[in-house]
């Protein structure tokens, strides 16, 4: 009786592990892509703020359709447990569609992971273009 129980537990853990690994690639999880695009149908502007407990400072915004397209297609997932208190947050990305706020995302400092790697890379690309514009 103990062996079938252990075998069942191993199978459940294997399925759960596979599911967790696949979450980093939402396109491989059928319903995740549909949920993402239903939530963010037409982002046309992203404002980037440097996070601070005294208030966020606007670094700039992008309306570049190609860059925003990569941001949307990166299929973000968020680890809400990691951002519960914003301790590691460095930047906040506010998303707008036709002037209306439709969401936001955060980029952590250090090695903390809030989002999947592809999404974080696009966030860093947006941040890089904004900071590049500031350099004389």
């Amino acid at each position: 009786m103990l062996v079938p129980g252990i075998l069942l537990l191993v199978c459940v853990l294997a399925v759960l592990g596979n599911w967790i690994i696949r979450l980093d690639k939402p396109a491989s999880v059928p319903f995740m892509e549909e949920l993402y695009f239903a939530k963010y149908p037409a982002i046309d502007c992203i404002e980037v703020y440097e996070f601070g407990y005294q208030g966020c400072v606007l670094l700039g915004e992008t309306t570049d359709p190609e860059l925003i397209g990569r941001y949307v297609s990166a299929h973000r997932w968020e680890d809400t447990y990691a951002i519960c208190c914003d301790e590691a947050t460095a930047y906040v990305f506010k998303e707008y569609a036709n002037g209306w706020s439709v969401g936001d995302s955060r980029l952590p400092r250090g090695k903390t992971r809030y989002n999947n790697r592809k999404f974080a890379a696009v966030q860093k690309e947006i941040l890089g273009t904004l900071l590049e514009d500031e350099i004389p």
Side-chain angles (χ1 to χ4, degrees), residues 38-107:
K39 188 174 179 187
Y40 301 108
I43 295 173
D44 56 13
C45 178
I46 298 173
E47 292 180 346
V48 181
Y49 294 83
E50 186 170 10
F51 180 81
Y53 287 109
Q54 311 304 338
C56 293
V57 177
L58 178 65
L59 296 177
E61 67 178 38
T62 184
T63 56
D64 178 2
E66 186 178 318
L67 195 52
I68 291 172
R70 284 198 300 277
Y71 179 90
V72 171
S73 69
H75 307 295
R76 174 185 70 191
W77 60 258
E78 247 182 22
D79 181 355
T80 53
Y81 295 109
I83 60 175
C84 68
C85 304
D86 289 324
E87 296 115 8
T89 299
Y91 301 96
V92 178
F93 294 73
K94 297 198 180 226
E95 306 156 357
Y96 293 90
N98 298 321
W100 293 91
S101 177
V102 294
D104 61 34
S105 66
R106 289 163 169 34
L107 182 66

Side-chain angles (χ1 to χ4, degrees), residues 17 26 29 33 40 46 55 82 91 111 115 119 124 132 134:
V29 181
E33 184 174 352
Y40 301 108
I46 298 173
Y91 301 96
K111 295 186 179 190
N115 303 298
F119 187 78
K124 289 175 184 175
E132 194 175 87
E134 289 181 9

